[in-house]
């Protein structure tokens, strides 16, 4: 393995329970998209932590000893990162040029005083934002929504039953709901507004983008994303223990529909 190969790293993220005095993300309380400035923490040897009470800051390190804050993800950064393909280089200052950007967009960027390129530092932050929004999940009932619209951690949550824990419908995306808004009143009739206010995994597209497995003799339920390979979620039924971690290359599996 040469020196350049040694520099290539994986994007890693981990979910851990929050402190007792932690508060839910203000954006979620307001009913807007949680963590608008980017999820949890990231690193160049990157480890991302996002507690159930959203703590927003991003830090990076090349040696896991010296750390510095990274810029928060913006919509523009996410859009730019989505145009890039291939693995990370391991150098935060590395600049990617847009190979698929059209001449009109390139000219507009130049007129705005911006170069048609993005640094790896920005790509990493944007990729973490994409992963967290696409496959950051929580068990049903872990958070509740009050009649006034505020959302907070459910202190009475004692975990899912083993039967429910094996169903995709028992897990929600921890981000602004999209599919829920398009449901009819008849479809919403069977939903509990206090717990079913987020999008369920059972309606994810493409169908079959999640696997559900039992481990440790059936005492732990593990969900894995086939869209973002490397994302693993766990839950211990009948307990408050749950979380997710991502070890991967930071590349979305765009071939998934053709692999099913």
């Amino acid at each position: 393995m040469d020196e350049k190969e040694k520099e290539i790293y994986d994007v890693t993220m981990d979910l851990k329970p929050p402190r007792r005095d932690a508060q839910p993300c203000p954006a979620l309380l307001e009913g807007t998209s949680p963590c608008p400035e980017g999820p949890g923490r990231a690193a160049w040897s990157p480890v991302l932590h996002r507690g159930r009470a959203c703590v927003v800051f991003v830090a990076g390190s090349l040696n896991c000893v010296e750390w510095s804050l990274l810029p928060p993800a913006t919509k523009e950064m996410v859009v730019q990162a989505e145009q890039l393909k291939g693995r990370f280089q391991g150098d935060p200052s590395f600049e990617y040029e847009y190979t698929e950007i059209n001449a009109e967009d390139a000219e507009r960027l130049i007129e705005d005083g911006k170069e048609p390129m993005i640094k790896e530092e920005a790509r990493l932050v944007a990729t973490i934002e994409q992963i967290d929004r696409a496959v950051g999940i929580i068990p049903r009932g872990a958070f509740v929504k009050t009649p006034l619209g505020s959302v907070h951690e459910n202190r009475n949550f004692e975990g899912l039953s083993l039967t429910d824990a094996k169903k995709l419908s028992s897990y929600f995306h921890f981000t602004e709901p999209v599919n829920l808004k398009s449901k009819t009143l008849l479809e919403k009739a069977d939903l509990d507004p206090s717990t079913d206010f987020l999008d369920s995994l059972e309606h994810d597209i493409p169908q079959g983008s999640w696997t559900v497995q039992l481990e440790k003799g059936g005492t732990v339920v593990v969900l894995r994303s086939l869209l973002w390979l490397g994302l693993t979620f766990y839950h211990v039924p009948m307990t408050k223990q749950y979380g997710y971690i991502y070890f991967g290359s930071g590349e979305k599996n765009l071939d998934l529909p053709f692999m099913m």
Side-chain angles (χ1 to χ4, degrees):
M1 179 182 293
D2 57 33
E3 291 301 319
K4 186 174 182 179
E5 288 178 327
K6 290 180 180 178
E7 291 179 350
I8 296 178
Y9 53 81
D10 288 343
V11 179
T12 308
M13 53 197 296
D14 181 22
L15 173 69
K16 293 187 176 181
R19 305 184 311 274
R20 287 184 176 274
D21 60 345
Q23 297 296 319
C25 177
L28 187 60
L29 292 176
E30 297 171 2
T32 58
S33 179
C35 304
E37 297 181 348
R41 313 168 185 172
W44 288 110
S45 178
V47 177
L48 180 150
H49 299 275
R50 176 179 176 185
R52 285 173 291 176
C54 182
V55 179
V56 181
F57 69 89
V58 182
S61 174
L62 290 170
N63 54 20
C64 292
V65 176
E66 299 176 352
W67 295 80
S68 60
L69 291 177
L70 297 178
T74 63
K75 291 183 179 180
E76 182 181 4
M77 290 167 59
V78 174
V79 171
Q80 292 174 340
E82 289 176 341
Q83 301 180 46
L84 300 175
K85 297 181 180 179
R87 298 201 170 191
F88 288 85
Q89 303 301 311
D91 179 5
S93 63
F94 182 84
E95 295 181 338
Y96 296 89
E97 293 186 2
Y98 299 126
T99 57
E100 299 181 4
I101 189 173
N102 57 50
E104 183 178 341
D105 291 338
E107 184 178 351
R108 179 175 54 81
L109 288 173
I110 294 176
E111 290 177 353
D112 294 338
K114 301 177 181 179
E115 294 292 332
M117 59 181 59
I118 180 175
K119 288 189 176 182
E120 176 145 311
E121 178 184 65
R123 184 192 178 190
L124 174 66
V125 175
T127 300
I128 293 174
E129 173 77 1
Q130 287 179 272
I131 295 173
D132 202 52
R133 288 183 181 275
V135 289
I137 61 178
I138 59 173
R140 180 178 184 270
F143 281 80
V144 293
K145 185 175 184 179
T146 69
L148 297 179
S150 63
V151 176
H152 57 83
E153 185 179 4
N154 183 6
R155 298 186 180 278
N156 295 321
F157 178 68
E158 296 296 338
L160 301 172
S161 66
L162 181 58
T163 300
D164 290 337
K166 293 186 289 185
K167 301 177 182 177
L168 286 179
S169 59
S170 297
Y171 301 95
F172 296 143
H173 289 280
F174 193 43
T175 187
E176 177 74 5
V178 178
N179 299 329
L180 187 64
K181 295 180 179 179
S182 61
K183 289 182 177 293
T184 65
L185 291 177
L186 186 60
E187 291 175 320
K188 293 181 180 180
D190 295 329
L191 301 181
D192 185 341
S194 65
T195 56
D196 302 320
F197 57 92
L198 298 172
D199 287 334
S200 170
L201 268 59
E202 66 175 338
H203 301 301
D204 280 10
I205 298 175
Q207 289 285 339
S209 59
W210 290 91
T211 65
V212 182
Q213 298 172 313
L214 296 178
E215 298 189 3
K216 295 189 67 176
T219 59
V220 179
V221 179
V222 175
L223 278 68
R224 292 184 173 88
S225 173
L226 300 181
L227 188 61
W228 286 95
L229 296 173
L231 189 288
T232 301
F233 172 91
Y234 75 92
H235 175 50
V236 181
M238 305 305 294
T239 74
K240 297 182 179 182
Q241 299 180 40
Y242 68 87
Y244 61 82
I245 186 168
Y246 175 82
F247 288 104
S249 63
E251 297 175 286
K252 189 175 183 178
N253 184 16
L254 299 177
D255 295 327
L256 180 59
F258 306 99
M259 299 168 62
M260 302 175 66

